[in-house]
Coordinates of all heavy atoms in Angstrom, one line a residue:
M1 N 0.8 -1.2 0.0 CA 0.0 0.0 0.0 C 0.9 1.3 0.0 O 1.9 1.3 0.7 CB -0.9 0.0 1.2 CG -2.0 0.9 1.2 SD -3.1 0.9 2.6 CE -3.6 -0.8 2.6
A2 N 0.5 2.2 -0.8 CA 1.3 3.5 -0.9 C 1.2 4.3 0.4 O 0.4 4.1 1.2 CB 0.8 4.3 -2.1
N3 N 2.1 5.2 0.6 CA 2.2 6.0 1.8 C 0.9 7.0 1.7 O 0.7 7.5 0.7 CB 3.4 6.9 1.9 CG 4.7 6.0 2.1 OD1 4.5 4.9 2.7 ND2 5.8 6.5 1.8
V4 N 0.3 7.1 2.9 CA -0.9 8.1 3.0 C -0.7 8.9 4.3 O -0.4 8.3 5.4 CB -2.2 7.2 3.1 CG1 -3.4 8.2 3.2 CG2 -2.4 6.4 1.9
F5 N -0.8 10.2 4.2 CA -0.7 11.0 5.3 C -1.9 11.0 6.2 O -3.1 10.9 5.7 CB -0.4 12.5 4.9 CG 1.0 12.6 4.3 CD1 1.2 12.8 2.9 CD2 2.1 12.6 5.1 CE1 2.3 13.0 2.4 CE2 3.4 12.7 4.5 CZ 3.5 13.0 3.2
A6 N -1.7 10.9 7.5 CA -2.8 10.7 8.4 C -3.8 11.9 8.3 O -5.0 11.7 8.4 CB -2.3 10.8 9.9
K7 N -3.3 13.1 8.0 CA -4.3 14.2 7.8 C -5.3 14.0 6.6 O -6.4 14.5 6.6 CB -3.6 15.5 7.7 CG -2.8 15.7 6.4 CD -2.1 17.0 6.3 CE -1.4 17.2 5.0 NZ -0.8 18.5 5.0
N8 N -4.8 13.1 5.6 CA -5.7 12.9 4.5 C -6.8 11.9 4.8 O -7.7 11.6 4.1 CB -4.8 12.4 3.3 CG -4.0 13.5 2.7 OD1 -4.3 14.6 2.9 ND2 -2.9 13.1 2.1
L9 N -6.7 11.2 6.0 CA -7.6 10.1 6.4 C -8.7 10.7 7.3 O -9.8 10.0 7.4 CB -6.8 9.0 7.2 CG -5.8 8.2 6.5 CD1 -5.2 7.3 7.4 CD2 -6.5 7.5 5.2
S10 N -8.5 11.9 7.9 CA -9.5 12.5 8.7 C -10.9 12.6 8.1 O -11.1 13.0 7.0 CB -9.0 13.8 9.2 OG -10.0 14.5 10.0
S11 N -11.9 12.0 8.7 CA -13.3 12.0 8.3 C -13.6 11.3 7.0 O -14.5 11.6 6.3 CB -13.8 13.5 8.1 OG -13.7 14.1 9.4
K12 N -12.7 10.4 6.7 CA -12.9 9.5 5.4 C -13.9 8.5 5.6 O -14.1 7.9 6.7 CB -11.6 9.0 5.0 CG -11.4 8.7 3.4 CD -10.1 8.3 3.1 CE -9.3 9.3 2.4 NZ -9.6 9.8 1.2
Q13 N -14.8 8.3 4.6 CA -15.8 7.3 4.6 C -15.2 5.9 4.7 O -14.2 5.7 3.9 CB -16.7 7.4 3.4 CG -17.8 6.3 3.4 CD -18.9 6.6 4.3 OE1 -19.3 7.8 4.7 NE2 -19.5 5.5 4.8
V14 N -15.7 5.0 5.5 CA -15.2 3.6 5.6 C -16.2 2.6 5.0 O -17.4 2.7 5.5 CB -14.9 3.1 7.0 CG1 -14.3 1.7 7.1 CG2 -13.8 4.2 7.7
M15 N -15.9 1.9 4.1 CA -16.8 0.9 3.4 C -16.2 -0.5 3.4 O -15.0 -0.7 3.5 CB -17.0 1.4 2.0 CG -17.8 2.6 1.8 SD -18.1 3.0 0.1 CE -19.6 1.9 -0.1
A16 N -17.1 -1.5 3.4 CA -16.6 -2.9 3.4 C -16.5 -3.3 1.9 O -16.9 -2.6 1.0 CB -17.7 -3.8 4.0
T17 N -15.7 -4.4 1.7 CA -15.5 -4.8 0.3 C -16.8 -5.2 -0.4 O -16.8 -5.2 -1.7 CB -14.5 -6.1 0.4 OG1 -15.0 -7.0 1.4 CG2 -13.1 -5.7 0.6
D18 N -17.8 -5.5 0.3 CA -19.1 -5.8 -0.4 C -20.0 -4.6 -0.6 O -21.1 -4.6 -1.1 CB -19.9 -6.8 0.4 CG -20.5 -6.3 1.8 OD1 -20.1 -5.1 2.1 OD2 -21.1 -7.0 2.5
G19 N -19.4 -3.3 -0.3 CA -20.2 -2.1 -0.6 C -20.9 -1.5 0.6 O -21.5 -0.4 0.5
T20 N -21.0 -2.2 1.7 CA -21.6 -1.8 2.9 C -21.0 -0.5 3.5 O -19.8 -0.5 3.6 CB -21.7 -2.9 4.0 OG1 -22.3 -4.1 3.5 CG2 -22.4 -2.4 5.3
E21 N -21.8 0.5 3.7 CA -21.2 1.6 4.4 C -21.1 1.4 5.9 O -22.1 1.1 6.6 CB -22.1 2.9 4.2 CG -22.1 3.3 2.7 CD -23.0 4.7 2.5 OE1 -23.2 5.3 3.4 OE2 -23.3 4.8 1.3
I22 N -19.9 1.5 6.4 CA -19.6 1.2 7.8 C -19.7 2.4 8.6 O -20.2 2.4 9.7 CB -18.2 0.5 7.9 CG1 -18.3 -0.9 7.3 CG2 -17.9 0.4 9.4 CD1 -17.1 -1.7 7.3
G23 N -19.1 3.5 8.2 CA -19.1 4.8 8.8 C -18.0 5.8 8.4 O -17.5 5.7 7.4
I24 N -17.7 6.6 9.4 CA -16.7 7.7 9.1 C -15.5 7.5 10.1 O -15.7 7.3 11.3 CB -17.3 9.1 9.4 CG1 -18.5 9.3 8.5 CG2 -16.2 10.2 9.2 CD1 -18.2 9.5 7.0
L25 N -14.2 7.5 9.6 CA -13.0 7.4 10.4 C -13.1 8.5 11.4 O -13.1 9.7 11.0 CB -11.8 7.4 9.5 CG -10.5 7.2 10.3 CD1 -10.5 5.8 10.9 CD2 -9.3 7.4 9.4
F26 N -12.8 8.2 12.7 CA -12.8 9.2 13.7 C -11.3 9.3 14.2 O -10.8 10.4 14.3 CB -13.7 8.8 15.0 CG -13.6 9.7 16.0 CD1 -14.1 11.0 16.0 CD2 -12.9 9.4 17.3 CE1 -14.0 11.8 17.2 CE2 -12.8 10.2 18.3 CZ -13.3 11.5 18.3
N27 N -10.6 8.2 14.3 CA -9.2 8.2 14.8 C -8.6 6.9 14.5 O -9.2 5.9 14.0 CB -9.3 8.5 16.4 CG -8.1 9.3 16.8 OD1 -7.0 9.2 16.1 ND2 -8.1 9.9 18.0
I28 N -7.3 6.8 14.8 CA -6.5 5.6 14.6 C -5.8 5.3 15.9 O -5.2 6.2 16.5 CB -5.6 5.8 13.4 CG1 -6.3 6.0 12.2 CG2 -4.6 4.5 13.3 CD1 -5.5 6.5 11.0
V29 N -5.7 4.0 16.2 CA -4.9 3.5 17.4 C -3.6 3.0 16.9 O -3.5 2.2 15.9 CB -5.6 2.4 18.1 CG1 -4.8 1.9 19.3 CG2 -7.0 2.8 18.6
M30 N -2.4 3.5 17.5 CA -1.2 3.1 17.1 C -0.3 2.7 18.3 O -0.4 3.2 19.3 CB -0.5 4.3 16.5 CG 1.0 4.1 15.9 SD 1.7 5.7 15.2 CE 2.4 6.3 16.6
D31 N 0.5 1.7 18.0 CA 1.5 1.3 19.1 C 2.7 2.2 19.0 O 3.4 2.3 18.1 CB 1.9 -0.2 18.8 CG 2.9 -0.7 19.8 OD1 3.7 0.1 20.4 OD2 2.8 -2.0 20.1
I32 N 2.8 3.1 20.1 CA 3.8 4.1 20.1 C 5.3 3.5 20.1 O 6.2 4.2 19.7 CB 3.7 5.1 21.2 CG1 3.7 4.5 22.6 CG2 2.4 5.9 21.0 CD1 3.8 5.5 23.7
R33 N 5.4 2.3 20.6 CA 6.8 1.7 20.6 C 7.2 1.2 19.2 O 8.4 1.4 18.8 CB 6.9 0.5 21.6 CG 6.8 1.0 23.1 CD 6.9 -0.1 24.0 NE 5.5 -0.3 24.4 CZ 4.8 -1.5 24.2 NH1 5.4 -2.6 23.8 NH2 3.5 -1.5 24.6
T34 N 6.3 0.7 18.5 CA 6.6 0.0 17.2 C 6.3 0.9 16.0 O 6.7 0.8 14.9 CB 6.0 -1.3 16.9 OG1 4.6 -1.2 17.0 CG2 6.5 -2.3 18.1
G35 N 5.2 1.8 16.2 CA 4.7 2.6 15.1 C 3.6 1.8 14.3 O 3.1 2.4 13.3
D36 N 3.3 0.6 14.7 CA 2.3 -0.2 14.0 C 0.9 0.4 14.2 O 0.6 0.8 15.4 CB 2.3 -1.6 14.5 CG 3.6 -2.4 14.1 OD1 4.2 -2.0 13.1 OD2 3.9 -3.4 14.7
L37 N 0.1 0.4 13.2 CA -1.3 0.8 13.3 C -2.0 -0.4 13.8 O -2.0 -1.5 13.2 CB -1.8 1.4 12.0 CG -1.1 2.6 11.5 CD1 -1.6 3.0 10.2 CD2 -1.0 3.8 12.5
I38 N -2.9 -0.2 14.8 CA -3.6 -1.3 15.5 C -5.1 -1.4 15.0 O -5.5 -2.4 14.4 CB -3.5 -1.1 17.0 CG1 -2.1 -1.0 17.5 CG2 -4.2 -2.4 17.6 CD1 -1.2 -2.2 17.2
D39 N -5.8 -0.3 15.2 CA -7.2 -0.2 14.9 C -7.6 1.1 14.3 O -7.0 2.1 14.6 CB -8.0 -0.3 16.3 CG -8.1 -1.8 16.8 OD1 -8.2 -2.7 16.1 OD2 -7.9 -1.8 18.1
L40 N -8.7 1.0 13.5 CA -9.4 2.3 13.1 C -10.6 2.4 14.0 O -11.3 1.5 14.3 CB -9.9 2.0 11.6 CG -9.0 1.7 10.5 CD1 -9.7 1.6 9.3 CD2 -7.9 2.8 10.4
I41 N -10.7 3.7 14.6 CA -11.9 4.1 15.3 C -12.8 4.7 14.5 O -12.6 5.7 13.9 CB -11.5 4.9 16.6 CG1 -10.4 4.3 17.4 CG2 -12.7 5.3 17.4 CD1 -9.9 5.1 18.5
V42 N -14.1 4.1 14.3 CA -15.0 4.5 13.2 C -16.3 4.9 13.9 O -16.8 4.2 14.8 CB -15.3 3.4 12.2 CG1 -16.3 3.8 11.2 CG2 -13.9 3.1 11.5
K43 N -16.8 6.0 13.6 CA -18.2 6.4 14.0 C -19.2 5.7 13.0 O -19.2 6.0 11.9 CB -18.4 7.9 13.9 CG -19.8 8.4 14.4 CD -19.8 9.8 14.6 CE -21.2 10.3 14.9 NZ -21.8 9.9 16.1
P44 N -19.9 4.7 13.5 CA -20.7 3.9 12.6 C -21.8 4.6 11.9 O -22.4 5.5 12.5 CB -21.2 2.7 13.5 CG -21.1 3.2 14.8 CD -20.0 4.3 14.9
D45 N -22.1 4.1 10.7 CA -23.3 4.6 10.0 C -24.6 4.3 10.8 O -24.6 3.2 11.4 CB -23.3 3.9 8.6 CG -24.4 4.6 7.7 OD1 -24.1 5.7 7.2 OD2 -25.4 3.9 7.5
M46 N -25.6 5.2 10.8 CA -26.8 4.9 11.6 C -27.5 3.6 11.2 O -28.1 3.0 12.1 CB -27.8 6.1 11.4 CG -27.3 7.4 11.9 SD -27.0 7.5 13.6 CE -28.6 7.6 14.2
S47 N -27.3 3.1 10.0 CA -28.1 2.0 9.6 C -27.2 0.6 9.8 O -27.7 -0.4 9.6 CB -28.4 2.1 8.1 OG -27.2 2.1 7.3
L48 N -26.0 0.8 10.3 CA -25.2 -0.3 10.5 C -25.5 -1.1 11.8 O -25.6 -0.5 12.9 CB -23.7 0.0 10.6 CG -22.6 -1.0 10.7 CD1 -22.6 -1.8 9.4 CD2 -21.3 -0.5 11.1
D49 N -25.6 -2.4 11.7 CA -25.8 -3.2 12.9 C -24.5 -3.5 13.5 O -23.5 -4.2 13.0 CB -26.3 -4.7 12.5 CG -26.5 -5.6 13.6 OD1 -26.3 -5.2 14.8 OD2 -26.7 -6.8 13.4
T50 N -24.2 -2.8 14.7 CA -22.8 -2.7 15.2 C -22.6 -4.0 16.2 O -21.5 -4.1 16.7 CB -22.6 -1.5 16.0 OG1 -23.7 -1.3 17.0 CG2 -22.6 -0.2 15.1
S51 N -23.6 -4.7 16.4 CA -23.5 -5.9 17.3 C -22.4 -6.9 16.9 O -21.9 -7.6 17.8 CB -24.9 -6.6 17.5 OG -25.2 -7.2 16.3
K52 N -22.0 -6.9 15.7 CA -21.1 -7.9 15.1 C -19.6 -7.2 15.1 O -18.7 -8.0 14.6 CB -21.5 -8.4 13.8 CG -22.8 -9.1 13.9 CD -23.2 -9.6 12.5 CE -24.6 -10.3 12.7 NZ -25.2 -10.6 11.5
Y53 N -19.4 -6.0 15.6 CA -18.2 -5.4 15.6 C -17.7 -5.2 17.0 O -18.5 -5.1 18.0 CB -18.2 -4.1 14.9 CG -18.5 -4.2 13.4 CD1 -19.8 -4.2 13.0 CD2 -17.5 -4.4 12.5 CE1 -20.2 -4.3 11.6 CE2 -17.8 -4.5 11.1 CZ -19.1 -4.5 10.7 OH -19.4 -4.6 9.4
K54 N -16.4 -5.1 17.2 CA -15.8 -4.7 18.5 C -16.1 -3.3 18.8 O -15.9 -2.4 17.9 CB -14.3 -4.9 18.5 CG -13.6 -4.7 19.7 CD -12.2 -5.3 19.7 CE -11.2 -4.2 19.6 NZ -9.8 -4.6 19.5
A55 N -16.7 -2.9 19.9 CA -17.2 -1.6 20.2 C -16.5 -0.9 21.3 O -16.0 -1.6 22.2 CB -18.7 -1.6 20.4
D56 N -16.5 0.4 21.3 CA -15.9 1.2 22.3 C -16.8 2.4 22.5 O -16.7 3.4 21.7 CB -14.4 1.5 22.0 CG -13.8 2.4 23.1 OD1 -14.3 2.3 24.3 OD2 -12.9 3.2 22.9
E57 N -17.7 2.3 23.4 CA -18.8 3.3 23.5 C -19.6 3.6 22.2 O -20.2 2.6 21.7 CB -18.2 4.6 24.2 CG -17.6 4.4 25.6 CD -17.1 5.6 26.1 OE1 -17.5 6.7 25.7 OE2 -16.3 5.5 27.1
Q58 N -19.5 4.7 21.6 CA -20.3 5.1 20.5 C -19.6 4.8 19.2 O -20.1 5.0 18.1 CB -20.8 6.6 20.4 CG -19.6 7.4 20.1 CD -19.6 8.6 21.1 OE1 -19.9 8.5 22.2 NE2 -19.1 9.7 20.6
Y59 N -18.3 4.2 19.3 CA -17.5 3.9 18.1 C -17.3 2.4 18.0 O -17.5 1.6 18.9 CB -16.1 4.6 18.3 CG -16.2 6.1 18.4 CD1 -16.1 6.7 19.6 CD2 -16.5 6.9 17.3 CE1 -16.2 8.1 19.7 CE2 -16.6 8.2 17.3 CZ -16.4 8.8 18.6 OH -16.6 10.2 18.7
I60 N -16.9 2.0 16.7 CA -16.4 0.6 16.6 C -15.0 0.6 16.2 O -14.5 1.5 15.7 CB -17.3 -0.1 15.4 CG1 -17.3 0.6 14.1 CG2 -18.8 -0.3 15.9 CD1 -17.9 -0.1 13.0
L61 N -14.3 -0.5 16.5 CA -13.0 -0.6 16.3 C -12.8 -1.7 15.2 O -13.2 -2.9 15.3 CB -12.2 -1.1 17.6 CG -12.3 -0.1 18.7 CD1 -12.4 -0.7 20.1 CD2 -11.1 1.0 18.7
L62 N -12.0 -1.3 14.1 CA -11.7 -2.2 13.0 C -10.3 -2.4 13.0 O -9.5 -1.5 13.0 CB -12.2 -1.6 11.7 CG -13.6 -1.1 11.7 CD1 -13.9 -0.5 10.3 CD2 -14.6 -2.3 11.9
P63 N -9.8 -3.7 13.1 CA -8.3 -3.9 13.0 C -7.8 -3.3 11.7 O -8.3 -3.5 10.6 CB -8.2 -5.5 13.0 CG -9.6 -6.0 12.7 CD -10.5 -5.0 13.0
F64 N -6.6 -2.8 11.8 CA -6.0 -2.1 10.7 C -5.7 -3.2 9.6 O -5.6 -2.9 8.4 CB -4.7 -1.3 11.1 CG -4.1 -0.6 9.9 CD1 -4.7 0.6 9.5 CD2 -3.0 -1.1 9.2 CE1 -4.2 1.2 8.4 CE2 -2.5 -0.4 8.2 CZ -3.1 0.8 7.8
E65 N -5.5 -4.5 10.0 CA -5.2 -5.5 9.1 C -6.4 -5.8 8.0 O -6.1 -6.3 7.1 CB -4.9 -6.8 9.8 CG -3.7 -6.8 10.7 CD -3.9 -7.4 12.0 OE1 -5.0 -8.0 12.2 OE2 -2.9 -7.4 12.8
S66 N -7.5 -5.3 8.4 CA -8.6 -5.5 7.6 C -8.7 -4.5 6.4 O -9.5 -4.6 5.5 CB -10.0 -5.4 8.4 OG -10.2 -4.1 8.9
V67 N -7.8 -3.4 6.4 CA -7.9 -2.4 5.4 C -7.3 -3.1 4.1 O -6.3 -3.7 4.1 CB -7.0 -1.2 5.8 CG1 -6.8 -0.2 4.7 CG2 -7.6 -0.5 7.0
R68 N -8.1 -2.8 3.0 CA -7.7 -3.4 1.7 C -7.3 -2.2 0.7 O -6.5 -2.5 -0.1 CB -8.9 -4.2 1.1 CG -9.2 -5.4 1.8 CD -8.0 -6.4 1.7 NE -8.1 -7.5 2.7 CZ -7.3 -7.6 3.7 NH1 -6.3 -6.8 3.8 NH2 -7.4 -8.6 4.5
A69 N -7.9 -1.1 0.9 CA -7.5 0.1 0.0 C -7.8 1.4 0.7 O -8.7 1.5 1.5 CB -8.2 -0.1 -1.3
I70 N -7.0 2.4 0.3 CA -7.3 3.8 0.7 C -7.2 4.6 -0.4 O -6.2 4.8 -1.1 CB -6.3 4.2 1.9 CG1 -6.4 3.3 3.0 CG2 -6.6 5.7 2.3 CD1 -5.4 3.6 4.1
K71 N -8.4 5.2 -0.9 CA -8.5 6.1 -2.0 C -9.4 7.2 -1.6 O -9.3 7.9 -0.6 CB -8.8 5.4 -3.3 CG -7.7 4.3 -3.8 CD -7.3 4.6 -5.0 CE -6.2 3.5 -5.4 NZ -5.3 3.9 -6.2
D72 N -10.6 7.2 -2.3 CA -11.7 8.1 -2.0 C -12.4 7.6 -0.7 O -12.9 8.3 0.1 CB -12.7 8.2 -3.1 CG -12.1 8.8 -4.3 OD1 -11.1 9.7 -4.2 OD2 -12.6 8.6 -5.5
Y73 N -12.3 6.3 -0.5 CA -12.9 5.6 0.7 C -11.7 4.8 1.3 O -10.8 4.4 0.6 CB -14.0 4.6 0.4 CG -15.2 5.3 -0.3 CD1 -15.3 5.4 -1.7 CD2 -16.2 5.9 0.4 CE1 -16.4 6.0 -2.3 CE2 -17.3 6.5 -0.2 CZ -17.3 6.6 -1.6 OH -18.4 7.1 -2.1
I74 N -12.0 4.4 2.5 CA -11.1 3.4 3.2 C -12.0 2.1 3.0 O -13.1 2.0 3.5 CB -10.9 3.6 4.7 CG1 -10.1 5.0 4.8 CG2 -10.1 2.5 5.3 CD1 -10.0 5.5 6.2
V75 N -11.4 1.1 2.3 CA -12.1 -0.1 2.0 C -11.5 -1.2 3.0 O -10.3 -1.4 3.1 CB -12.0 -0.6 0.6 CG1 -12.7 -1.9 0.3 CG2 -12.6 0.5 -0.3
V76 N -12.4 -1.9 3.7 CA -12.1 -2.9 4.7 C -12.7 -4.3 4.3 O -13.8 -4.3 3.8 CB -12.3 -2.6 6.2 CG1 -11.6 -1.3 6.5 CG2 -13.8 -2.4 6.4
D77 N -12.0 -5.3 4.6 CA -12.6 -6.7 4.5 C -13.5 -6.9 5.6 O -13.2 -6.8 6.8 CB -11.5 -7.7 4.5 CG -11.9 -9.1 4.4 OD1 -12.7 -9.6 5.3 OD2 -11.6 -9.7 3.4
K78 N -14.8 -7.1 5.2 CA -15.9 -7.2 6.2 C -15.7 -8.3 7.2 O -15.9 -8.1 8.4 CB -17.3 -7.4 5.5 CG -18.4 -7.1 6.4 CD -19.7 -7.2 5.5 CE -20.9 -6.8 6.3 NZ -22.1 -6.7 5.4
N79 N -15.3 -9.5 6.8 CA -15.1 -10.6 7.7 C -14.0 -10.3 8.7 O -14.1 -10.6 9.9 CB -14.8 -11.9 6.9 CG -16.1 -12.4 6.2 OD1 -17.2 -12.1 6.7 ND2 -15.8 -13.1 5.1
M80 N -12.8 -9.8 8.2 CA -11.7 -9.4 9.1 C -12.1 -8.3 10.1 O -11.8 -8.3 11.2 CB -10.5 -9.0 8.3 CG -9.8 -10.2 7.7 SD -8.2 -9.7 6.9 CE -7.2 -9.5 8.4
A81 N -12.9 -7.3 9.6 CA -13.4 -6.2 10.4 C -14.2 -6.7 11.6 O -14.2 -6.1 12.6 CB -14.1 -5.3 9.6
R82 N -15.0 -7.8 11.3 CA -15.8 -8.4 12.4 C -15.0 -9.4 13.2 O -15.6 -10.0 14.2 CB -17.0 -9.1 11.8 CG -18.0 -8.2 11.2 CD -19.1 -9.0 10.5 NE -20.2 -8.1 10.1 CZ -21.3 -8.5 9.4 NH1 -21.4 -9.8 9.2 NH2 -22.2 -7.7 9.1
G83 N -13.8 -9.7 12.9 CA -13.1 -10.7 13.6 C -13.3 -12.1 13.1 O -13.0 -13.0 13.8
L84 N -14.0 -12.2 12.0 CA -14.3 -13.5 11.4 C -13.2 -13.9 10.4 O -13.4 -13.7 9.2 CB -15.6 -13.5 10.8 CG -16.8 -13.1 11.7 CD1 -18.1 -13.0 10.8 CD2 -17.0 -14.1 12.7
V85 N -12.1 -14.5 10.8 CA -11.1 -14.9 9.9 C -11.3 -16.3 9.5 O -11.3 -17.2 10.4 CB -9.7 -14.6 10.4 CG1 -8.6 -15.1 9.4 CG2 -9.5 -13.1 10.8
T86 N -11.4 -16.6 8.3 CA -11.6 -18.0 7.9 C -10.2 -18.7 7.6 O -9.4 -18.0 7.0 CB -12.5 -18.1 6.7 OG1 -12.0 -17.3 5.6 CG2 -14.0 -17.6 7.0
E87 N -10.1 -19.8 7.9 CA -8.9 -20.5 7.6 C -8.9 -21.1 6.2 O -9.9 -21.6 5.8 CB -8.7 -21.8 8.6 CG -8.5 -21.3 10.0 CD -7.3 -20.5 10.3 OE1 -6.2 -20.9 9.7 OE2 -7.4 -19.6 11.1
P88 N -7.8 -21.1 5.5 CA -7.7 -21.6 4.2 C -7.9 -23.1 4.2 O -7.6 -23.8 5.1 CB -6.3 -21.3 3.7 CG -5.6 -20.9 4.8 CD -6.5 -20.5 5.9
V89 N -8.6 -23.6 3.1 CA -8.9 -25.0 3.1 C -7.9 -25.6 2.1 O -7.7 -25.2 1.1 CB -10.3 -25.2 2.4 CG1 -10.7 -26.7 2.3 CG2 -11.4 -24.5 3.4
N90 N -7.3 -26.7 2.7 CA -6.3 -27.4 1.9 C -6.9 -28.6 1.3 O -7.6 -29.5 2.0 CB -5.1 -27.8 2.7 CG -4.3 -26.7 3.1 OD1 -4.2 -25.7 2.5 ND2 -3.8 -26.8 4.4
L91 N -7.0 -28.7 0.0 CA -7.5 -29.9 -0.7 C -6.6 -30.9 -1.1 O -5.5 -30.7 -1.5 CB -8.4 -29.5 -1.9 CG -9.5 -28.6 -1.6 CD1 -10.2 -28.0 -2.9 CD2 -10.6 -29.2 -0.7

């Protein structure tokens, strides 16, 4: 993923890979020792069922690993954002 300045992320719309509107980016959690980004703090869309997401008061927390693209929107993998990681099937 290309470098993106934090100021360009402020108030950016967050969407799932299936087109679901998740909400607006409020803040980002970062590990100050390593500089790793941990979570996106998102103000959820009014129509979003937040019961399937990790919540912190009025916000939901999406793991940064779920981010797939950052352009006009921040696009996240819906299953990873909900903490539903599927194991690969070996045939």
